[in-house]
């Protein structure tokens, strides 16, 4: 495992994106448990893209305008829905008490996080371009090597997202106890989801 791969992966994972945004929102609104579950869901959402890259299916998204545009439209619509739900206090920043958070179905939080990543076609293309760079042409088992690299990338994703979520959960009381601050945060997160949706809408293969 080269240091270059670990450093590059850490930079990519730590860069703000939909997964980071969703995990921060979960920590701020629902606490540490919800943020950890959301981080797990975001990590699971990488699996289909990683599998597509390893199996070469991501090339279809790269070459087929219809497939790429179809998945992209779904991703844009979902991000816009997240922005709308956040403003309506029904989405990622729906504030819950500790008792209410403990009763929240983990499956629902995981599904929301998985969809955020699954509906982003750029991830498949990213892994298709990223992973092979760290696999030697002389490697006797390139498929196993790519799976190993993918597993490490996912582990880094989960670890970094958990840190983001725990930080957000640590300042949760200071945020939710101030209605004006919470309203500003809600509008900011909604705008960020909408901006990410717009960015995805403009993405090209």
């Amino acid at each position: 495992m080269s240091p270059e791969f670990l450093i590059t992966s850490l930079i990519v994972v730590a860069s703000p994106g939909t997964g980071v945004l969703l995990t921060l929102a979960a920590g701020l609104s629902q606490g540490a448990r919800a943020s950890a579950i959301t981080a797990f869901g975001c990590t699971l959402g990488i699996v289909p893209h990683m599998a597509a890259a390893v199996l070469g299916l991501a090339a279809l998204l790269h070459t087929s305008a219809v497939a790429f545009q179809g998945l992209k439209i779904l991703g844009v619509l979902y991000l816009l829905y997240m922005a709308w739900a956040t403003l309506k206090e029904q989405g990622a920043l729906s504030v819950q008490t500790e008792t209410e958070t403990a009763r929240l179905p983990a499956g629902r939080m995981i599904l929301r996080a998985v969809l955020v990543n699954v509906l982003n076609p750029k991830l498949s293309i990213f892994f298709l371009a990223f992973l092979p760079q760290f696999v030697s042409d002389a490697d006797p088992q390139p498929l196993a090597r790519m799976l190993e690299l993918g597993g490490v990338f996912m582990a880094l994703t989960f670890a970094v997202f958990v840190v983001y979520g725990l930080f957000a959960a640590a300042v949760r009381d200071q945020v939710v106890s101030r209605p004006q601050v919470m309203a500003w945060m809600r509008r900011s997160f909604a705008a960020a989801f909408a901006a990410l949706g717009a960015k995805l809408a403009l993405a090209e293969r």
Side-chain angles (χ1 to χ4, degrees):
M1 191 71 59
S2 68
E4 291 82 3
F5 173 78
L6 293 174
I7 293 171
T8 304
S9 297
L10 190 59
I11 292 172
V12 171
V13 168
S15 300
T18 52
V20 169
L21 192 64
L22 190 63
T23 304
L24 286 172
L28 283 171
S29 60
Q30 299 163 5
R33 171 183 175 270
S35 68
I37 292 173
T38 300
F40 178 69
C42 289
T43 305
L44 281 183
I46 294 174
V47 173
H49 298 291
M50 197 77 70
V54 170
L55 298 174
L57 297 178
L60 175 64
L61 288 174
H62 185 65
T63 57
S64 171
V66 174
F68 182 86
Q69 290 297 327
L71 189 57
K72 184 176 78 170
I73 289 171
L74 289 175
V76 170
L77 291 175
Y78 188 69
L79 285 171
L80 292 178
Y81 163 76
M82 292 290 293
W84 175 84
T86 299
L87 281 177
K88 296 294 182 180
E89 303 182 23
Q90 297 173 347
L93 278 181
S94 175
V95 179
Q96 308 284 338
T97 65
E98 290 186 7
T99 301
E100 290 171 334
T101 299
R103 293 174 181 170
L104 281 175
R108 187 195 305 172
M109 289 186 281
I110 290 173
L111 178 61
R112 181 171 62 188
V114 167
L115 286 175
V116 160
N117 275 345
V118 166
L119 295 177
N120 184 356
K122 297 297 286 186
L123 278 177
S124 286
I125 296 173
F126 164 75
F127 287 122
L128 184 67
F130 177 66
L131 292 181
Q133 295 182 43
F134 300 95
V135 179
S136 170
D137 293 337
D139 196 310
Q141 294 183 311
L143 180 59
R145 182 62 172 170
M146 288 184 71
L147 289 173
E148 177 190 358
L149 293 174
V152 171
F153 187 92
M154 290 177 63
L156 284 174
T157 298
F158 180 69
V160 170
F161 280 26
V162 164
V163 171
Y164 272 125
L166 291 178
F167 169 77
V171 300
R172 178 176 184 265
D173 290 343
Q174 287 71 35
V175 174
V176 299
S177 63
R178 296 172 171 83
Q180 289 183 335
V181 173
M182 197 63 203
W184 178 83
M185 290 290 294
R186 189 170 284 116
R187 288 193 292 268
S188 298
F189 272 80
F193 279 123
L196 288 169
K199 182 179 178 181
L200 180 58
L202 297 173
E204 299 293 337
R205 291 178 293 152

